[in-house]
């Protein structure tokens, strides 16, 4: 089985290899937080699936298959908890300036679904993404492979927090893509999970909760199965969010299915996942620019696999962070 931690960034690919998709990050230099925008300037059929019990989202209802609007123009992933949703206003302003949006006769309304993760304990919580941050992420967007790790929505991300933040490790942003018969499926994940992150090919824990001395990995799953007590997490204080995209044409129902099955990729490499304390949310986009399609079974298989690879990339690309008295090592520190 493929060991994802052995994939180079060029081998892993990225979501921007999907025709019609661009990515931009804004990382706040005042503290580790930020936002990431996935742009579809020409519009993309969208879907969403929320599995965590503590989500923070915007404009997800319009993605329901039975609702009117067919396409969206961007998806925002952001830190800052609920305050971070303000960054979507900046994304809308930038898109409006480009003449991009849903035609309502008197103008165009950009449609920007969004999801947040909780990074407030890392640094000064009064600093969080706002409309200017969302605008800056759009201005930085391009079709090149995007930076990974401590950037954008992953700047303040952490993983392995079941035993407290002091025993956690650094999370981040990761991306990957797979192309089959001229059709590409890619994913971009901001991993801020309560649980540990594993390589599903080898079952090796890459990053997660550490032992009390901080030098080794605790193995959250094994510890929970042994009935060990843990520190009760704060609801919504975690969350992995992301986007899976394809250049195959999709209906809204198919986009919803793609988002749903992409969560299988999270389940392969995050333990525990979709907890009462995570707001795990994945969006799906279909640009239709490949000019051809694959059957839905293959598309869903690629979506789950790309999501798993991107999640692994998120922790492998992360760098250690020390802020005040909090030290968050990265995967390379404990898995070397």
């Amino acid at each position: 089985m493929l060991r994802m931690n052995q994939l180079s960034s060029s081998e892993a690919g990225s979501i921007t290899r999907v025709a019609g998709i661009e990515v931009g990050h804004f990382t706040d230099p005042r503290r580790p937080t930020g936002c990431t925008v996935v742009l579809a300037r020409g519009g993309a059929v969208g879907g969403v699936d929320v599995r965590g019990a503590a989500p923070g989202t915007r404009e997800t209802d319009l993605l329901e298959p039975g609702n009117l609007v067919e396409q969206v123009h961007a998806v925002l992933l952001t830190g800052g908890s609920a305050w971070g949703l303000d960054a979507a206003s900046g994304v809308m302003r930038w898109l409006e300036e480009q003449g991009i949006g849903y035609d309502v006769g008197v103008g165009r309304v950009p449609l920007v679904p969004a999801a947040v993760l909780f990074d407030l304990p890392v640094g000064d919580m009064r600093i969080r993404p706002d409309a200017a941050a969302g605008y800056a992420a759009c201005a930085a967007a391009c079709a090149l492979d995007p930076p990974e790790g401590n950037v954008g929505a992953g700047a303040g991300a952490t993983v392995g927090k079941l035993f407290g933040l002091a025993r956690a490790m650094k999370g981040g942003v990761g991306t990957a893509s797979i192309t089959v018969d001229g059709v590409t499926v890619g994913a971009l994940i901001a991993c801020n999970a309560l649980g540990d992150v594993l390589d599903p090919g080898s079952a090796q824990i890459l990053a997660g909760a550490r032992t009390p001395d901080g030098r080794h990995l605790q193995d959250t799953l094994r510890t929970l199965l042994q009935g060990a007590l843990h520190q009760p997490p704060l609801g919504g204080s975690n969350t992995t969010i992301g986007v899976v995209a394809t250049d195959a044409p999709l209906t809204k129902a198919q986009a919803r299915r793609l988002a749903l099955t992409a969560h299988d990729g999270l389940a392969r490499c995050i333990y525990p996942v979709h907890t009462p304390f995570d707001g795990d949310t994945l969006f799906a986009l279909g640009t239709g620019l490949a000019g051809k399609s694959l059957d839905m079974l293959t598309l869903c298989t690629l979506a789950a696999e790309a999501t798993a690879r991107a999640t692994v990339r998120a922790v492998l690309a992360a760098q250690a962070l020390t802020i005040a008295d909090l030290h968050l090592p990265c995967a390379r520190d404990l898995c070397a």
Side-chain angles (χ1 to χ4, degrees):
M1 184 177 289
L2 175 68
R3 291 194 176 189
M4 297 182 190
N5 61 353
Q6 295 176 347
L7 284 175
S8 67
S9 57
S10 60
E11 291 171 326
S14 79
I15 195 172
T16 53
R17 300 192 189 185
V18 174
I21 295 296
E22 301 173 55
V23 170
H25 297 301
F26 171 78
T27 306
D28 198 315
R30 298 171 297 169
R31 88 161 176 101
T33 192
C35 60
T36 298
V37 65
V38 179
L39 287 179
R41 294 178 191 244
V45 174
V48 67
D49 190 71
V50 179
R51 292 297 178 92
T57 58
R58 166 174 165 158
E59 295 279 39
T60 52
D61 285 351
L62 65 83
L63 297 175
E64 287 294 324
N67 289 345
L68 174 66
V69 175
E70 286 292 321
Q71 295 192 330
V72 299
H73 308 100
V75 173
L76 175 75
L77 309 175
T78 182
S81 189
W83 280 288
L85 290 172
D86 186 36
S89 298
V91 178
M92 290 185 67
R93 180 163 61 89
W94 187 89
L95 287 167
E96 183 183 28
E97 290 176 2
Q98 311 304 311
I100 298 170
Y102 180 66
D103 189 351
V104 294
V106 295
R108 292 186 176 272
V109 179
L111 300 176
V112 184
V116 304
L117 57 78
F118 185 90
D119 60 2
L120 299 181
V122 183
D124 186 347
M125 71 158 283
R126 294 170 296 180
I127 300 170
R128 53 250 183 178
D130 55 13
Y135 189 97
C138 290
C142 69
L144 298 176
D145 290 346
E148 299 173 286
N150 299 22
V151 294
T158 52
V159 298
K161 289 163 281 188
L162 198 65
F163 306 97
L165 189 61
R167 289 168 61 182
M169 293 178 65
K170 190 69 184 72
V173 164
T175 187
S177 63
I178 308 168
T179 300
V180 172
D181 193 24
V183 172
T184 300
V185 178
L188 184 142
I189 299 295
C191 186
N192 186 56
L194 175 70
D196 298 343
V197 179
L198 287 72
D199 183 326
S202 64
Q204 175 189 5
I205 300 176
L206 302 174
R210 291 175 289 146
T211 54
D213 63 9
R215 298 180 180 179
H216 306 283
L217 291 160
Q218 175 74 35
D219 192 336
T220 296
L221 177 61
R222 180 174 296 179
T223 304
L224 286 175
L225 291 175
Q226 293 171 346
L229 295 176
H230 61 271
Q231 178 173 322
L234 176 66
S237 59
N238 306 283
T239 300
T240 295
I241 52 179
V243 179
V244 59
T246 181
D247 43 25
L250 298 175
T251 65
K252 287 183 74 176
Q254 289 172 330
R256 172 72 174 271
R257 174 58 56 178
L258 206 67
L260 186 155
T261 54
H263 277 283
D264 293 349
L266 295 186
R268 291 175 192 169
C269 49
I270 299 175
Y271 299 95
V273 70
H274 305 144
T275 76
F277 310 103
D278 290 278
D280 300 334
T281 301
L282 294 181
F283 297 93
L285 299 174
T287 67
L289 295 178
K292 58 194 305 186
S293 188
L294 298 172
D295 62 273
M296 277 304 294
L297 175 60
T298 302
L299 285 175
C300 289
T301 299
L302 297 181
E305 181 68 9
T307 298
R309 294 185 186 187
T311 305
V312 167
R313 292 288 311 166
V315 295
L316 292 181
Q319 298 178 333
L321 174 68
T322 299
I323 183 166
D325 58 352
L326 176 65
H327 176 65
L328 298 164
C330 63
R332 290 190 297 273
D333 294 334
L334 270 67
C335 297

